[in-house]
Amino acid sequence: RSQLFLLVLRRASGDLKMPFVSFEHIAREWRCKFSSDADNASLMAAQAKLEDILAGLSSIEGVVSVQRIVCGGCLDFKVVTKLTKAAFADWEKAGFAPEGDFLDALKAIPGISNIETQTYTLEDVKMNKKDCKKAQEKKEKEQAEKPKDEKPPEDPAKKLKKVIKEGGKRGVEIEGAADMGGLQFFCTSMDCPEGDLDLLVESMKAMNAKSDPSEEERKGGSGHIGKMIFSAGTEQLAVVAYVPEDKQEQLSCGEWLTAVLKSQGGEVKSTAKDISTGFVKTNSDKGVFPLKIREPMILEANNFLRKLGLFPEDDGDSDDDFVFGDDDFPSA
């Protein structure tokens, strides 16, 4: 067993190139359980047997330390002998003497049980004052080099509340703008989700929520209007498409989203008759940045609708007439 253990350790420290388990010392542990009966008589007897062999054990070539561990709660009695790696191999060849005699002596003590041995590496990893100081200085330097404007993560509950509030307000604005222009579908961008697809779905739900006329500040109310909304973050542009039930025969939500995402190499995450989701990852090598591609994708969404006769034809002045972003909504 010990030879197999050493083989595993040699592989860990050498062949497998794992320096974090390097070692220079190996320990042999002898352990047993003692009884608390008769004022811990078995523990006292075990201690006496240790004292009988302690001088010889300590004088073995390469011994670095001999430690005794006693746990009054677990009733453990342990002796741990630590040697240099080279010396341990020689000790193993000698049968770990006086291990055999010591274990036999323990077996003869009434109240002693569960006698076992174990071999493992044992290294002192405590840092000296000089190294502690270096580590602290390194940590302080790393803290000082962090961007000054780096903000801690926003509380998820507070962020969701902002997303829902923004979505509710935008729903009212979309309802009004669509009704005045006779639009069945609407495409726009959202700020608060910051590219988070799950949050953008919540934004869409807030837009579609039924508006309560009794509320002082109306929210939602645009569930009858088809929509595609976009949210730019640092890592991706999130996109959510929505088609109300009465318009699903005219337009496939999944096909609409897929066509728009395809224009920028995006990926569809989910499709359904009413809501479909997807995203376009930032790719600096290809010049794909969320803010840069957002407006072209809104135009792509509008053009897809035009081909199906679901969006007003361009009058020739500018496509921007039907691209609605943050600047078009004062409350955004």
Side-chain angles (χ1 to χ4, degrees), residues 154-164 199:
E154 187 174 359
D155 179 75
K158 291 182 179 179
K159 188 171 181 66
L160 177 59
K161 188 175 181 180
K162 288 182 180 179
V163 167
I164 293 174
L199 290 178

Side-chain angles (χ1 to χ4, degrees), residues 133-146:
K133 184 178 180 181
K134 285 183 179 179
Q136 183 63 29
E137 289 174 348
K138 180 181 178 182
K139 184 177 180 179
E140 290 174 356
K141 182 179 179 182
E142 290 173 350
Q143 290 290 337
E145 289 175 351
K146 282 186 177 181

Side-chain angles (χ1 to χ4, degrees), residues 22 33 37 52 60 85 119 125 136 199 204 222 224-225 264 305 318 328:
S22 62
K33 295 286 187 180
D37 294 343
D52 288 344
I60 293 173
K85 191 159 50 175
T119 299
V125 294
Q136 183 63 29
L199 290 178
M204 180 68 82
S222 64
H224 62 292
I225 301 166
Q264 295 293 338
L305 295 171
S318 171
D328 298 294

Side-chain angles (χ1 to χ4, degrees), residues 45-100:
Q47 172 64 28
K49 295 302 181 183
L50 173 59
E51 292 173 359
D52 288 344
I53 65 161
L54 190 53
L57 183 61
S58 301
S59 62
I60 293 173
E61 184 67 29
V63 169
V64 176
S65 66
V66 179
Q67 297 170 298
R68 184 203 64 199
I69 302 170
V70 176
C71 176
C74 300
L75 303 180
D76 285 335
F77 178 82
K78 302 179 182 181
V79 179
V80 181
T81 306
K82 176 180 176 180
L83 297 86
T84 61
K85 191 159 50 175
F88 187 89
D90 293 336
W91 191 35
E92 180 185 22
K93 292 176 183 177
F96 302 115
E99 179 179 290

Side-chain angles (χ1 to χ4, degrees), residues 203-225:
S203 181
M204 180 68 82
K205 290 178 180 178
M207 290 180 182
N208 294 339
K210 288 187 178 181
S211 182
D212 186 351
S214 65
E215 288 185 333
E216 184 176 344
E217 184 179 4
R218 292 181 65 239
K219 297 183 289 291
S222 64
H224 62 292
I225 301 166

Side-chain angles (χ1 to χ4, degrees), residues 197 200 228-230 237-241 257 261 276-279 297:
L197 192 53
L200 192 59
M228 186 174 290
I229 57 176
F230 303 75
L237 178 71
V239 188
V240 174
L257 177 73
L261 289 173
S276 298
T277 66
F279 55 85
M297 289 183 71

